[in-house]
Amino acid sequence: MKAAVLYEPGKPLVVEDIKIAPPKAGEVRVKVAANGCCHSDLHVMTGDMRMPLPIVLGHEGAGIVTEVGPGVASVKEGDHVVLSFSPVCGYCYYCTEGNPHLCETRPKKMGTLLDGTTRLAKNGTEIFHFAFTASFAEETVVPESCAIKIREDMPLDRACFVGCGTMTGVGAALNTAKVQPGTTVAVIGCGGVGLNVIQGAAVAGARQIIAIDLLPKKLDLAKTFGATHFVNPSQDDAFKAVMELTGGRGVDYAFEVISTAKTIELAFKMTARRGTCTIVGVSPESARITLNPNIFTMMEKRLIGSFYGSTRPRIDMPRLVDMYMEKKIKIDELVSRTCTLDDVNEAYDLLKQGEVARSVVKFF
Ligand code: COD
Ligand code: ZN
């Protein structure tokens, strides 16, 4: 089957034929229909996020189950699925208390399936799986808990975004920060994920949603996703602008959706007393933030992180699919471009240049 393989950071992905082995016990083989071009894969391509190589990237996928391994009970051949990049065991402390995105039994070693081996190879050399999904490929094998069954009338080239950008963003607003009606929100970084934080805040009933991005194009899109005010830090001081817009108080909820120390510090600074600042981006390992600890005490500000929108995949993902089908959330507007796997490097060049919110690679 055809897949996009990263051999070396800084080099383009190689689109080539590789071998895929059948699913083992507890695994599911999926014919990938579509996969979105998220910035996190780009972090691996640039070397900011280290992964074993060679590796098949892609973690924003959806497709159709073609085969299940022994013991698989939740899906069967023919089922439509969103690919979740966070396997859950269902019995550890965090799975049981309702936070399966923090499952304790996930392997520490990256790039393999749960048994520590891979199903991908070329000429006898093993190829790793990015994020358990490896969905920049015509087919993939994933742990059962990463294949989330969805309704069949959901277009798969839209469902794929529920596997990352939509879930990560909407979930950060609704599940992690728990944005309340009538409140004020600022979102720094209005890319594929940030736009979804904005629409999550809008769904929650926030009164004022301030979008902050360097690119006018992204600020235009932010309006479509529900932002009420717009700040471009290349023209205006973002902190001052937010303070002015909020009567000098700051926002009840700030979100950092870029992944730099500077923008995290900025988000925290613009958070109001008793407000919540949520970090969505994962910065390079070497990054450090500097904060005055007294702000926590004197102002009761909170600083929290959000991983994968604090998702409970089997509850939240079909729910987001329903919300899209009922026109309560937008996905179409996120997709700037549809392409084939052969164009995947070009899709990432456009993301780097800020030309697109999301491209989607469509396989069928
Ligand atoms: N000020 C304002 N805006 C900026 C600045 C700045 N200094 N720098 C960049 N931006 C804007 C860009 O113009 C762009 O619009 C946006 O920030 C970033 O958007 P994208 O589309 O490039 O990135 P996303 O939305 O696909 O991804 C953002 C993440 C923060 C999720 C990503 O970078 C990340 O940290 N991924 C790892 C976290 C993770 O694993 N998440 C789950 C899987 S995605
Ligand atoms: Zn992603």
Side-chain angles (χ1 to χ4, degrees), residues 1-8 13-21 44 51-58 109-113 115-137 139-141:
M1 62 135 182
K2 214 153 114 177
V5 186
L6 179 73
Y7 283 91
E8 208 184 314
L13 300 178
V14 179
V15 177
E16 60 182 350
D17 277 321
I18 66 168
K19 284 222 155 69
I20 182 164
V44 184
M51 287 289 152
L53 300 171
I55 193 165
V56 171
L57 296 181
K109 192 176 150 205
M110 304 296 278
T112 65
L113 295 186
D115 69 351
T117 67
T118 83
R119 304 291 160 269
L120 307 173
K122 168 134 183 144
N123 301 330
T125 303
E126 76 174 343
I127 296 182
F128 293 97
H129 304 234
F130 179 49
F132 303 97
T133 45
S135 39
F136 276 134
E139 286 188 89
T140 187
V141 172

Side-chain angles (χ1 to χ4, degrees), residues 216-238:
K217 242 186 212 170
K218 299 295 173 77
L219 293 175
D220 288 346
L221 270 170
K223 188 167 192 186
T224 309
F225 280 79
T228 56
H229 295 79
F230 309 89
V231 177
N232 186 333
S234 68
Q235 291 160 10
D236 296 302
D237 181 312

Side-chain angles (χ1 to χ4, degrees), residues 284-300:
E285 272 305 308
S286 58
R288 294 292 177 272
I289 53 172
T290 306
L291 300 172
N292 174 352
N294 295 339
I295 306 281
F296 291 94
T297 342
M298 306 307 286
M299 295 190 174
E300 295 197 1

Side-chain angles (χ1 to χ4, degrees), residues 5-213:
V5 186
L6 179 73
Y7 283 91
E8 208 184 314
K11 295 265 169 73
L13 300 178
V14 179
V15 177
E16 60 182 350
D17 277 321
I18 66 168
K19 284 222 155 69
I20 182 164
K24 291 189 181 175
E27 296 173 357
V28 175
R29 185 171 185 155
V30 175
K31 188 171 182 222
V32 180
N35 190 78
C37 298
C38 175
H39 201 122
S40 298
D41 304 272
L42 189 56
H43 287 313
V44 184
M45 290 180 218
T46 58
D48 280 343
M49 199 190 277
R50 294 247 209 95
M51 287 289 152
L53 300 171
I55 193 165
V56 171
L57 296 181
H59 68 281
E60 196 169 58
I64 300 176
V65 174
T66 53
E67 189 182 352
V68 298
V72 169
S74 64
V75 288
K76 59 180 188 318
E77 193 184 327
D79 281 348
H80 289 208
V81 291
V82 164
L83 299 179
S84 156
F85 59 79
S86 186
V88 308
C89 72
Y91 54 76
C92 76
Y93 179 87
Y94 292 103
C95 282
T96 313
E97 63 132 30
N99 285 297
H101 63 296
L102 301 177
C103 177
E104 285 177 320
T105 69
R106 254 180 322 184
K108 300 272 177 299
K109 192 176 150 205
M110 304 296 278
T112 65
L113 295 186
L114 296 170
D115 69 351
T117 67
T118 83
R119 304 291 160 269
L120 307 173
K122 168 134 183 144
N123 301 330
T125 303
E126 76 174 343
I127 296 182
F128 293 97
H129 304 234
F130 179 49
F132 303 97
T133 45
S135 39
F136 276 134
E138 288 173 328
E139 286 188 89
T140 187
V141 172
V142 301
E144 178 179 6
S145 66
C146 293
I148 310 300
K149 187 172 164 33
I150 56 162
R151 53 197 271 186
E152 287 183 16
D153 54 352
M154 174 71 180
L156 290 168
D157 62 351
R158 297 298 181 258
C160 60
F161 296 102
V162 172
C164 179
T166 304
M167 186 67 254
T168 304
V170 174
L174 296 183
N175 296 346
T176 318
K178 298 190 167 59
V179 172
Q180 295 298 302
T183 54
T184 58
V185 174
V187 178
I188 310 183
C190 305
V193 178
L195 291 169
N196 279 296
V197 175
I198 290 172
Q199 77 166 334
V203 166
R207 169 173 65 82
Q208 191 182 38
I209 304 172
I210 306 167
I212 304 171
D213 201 290

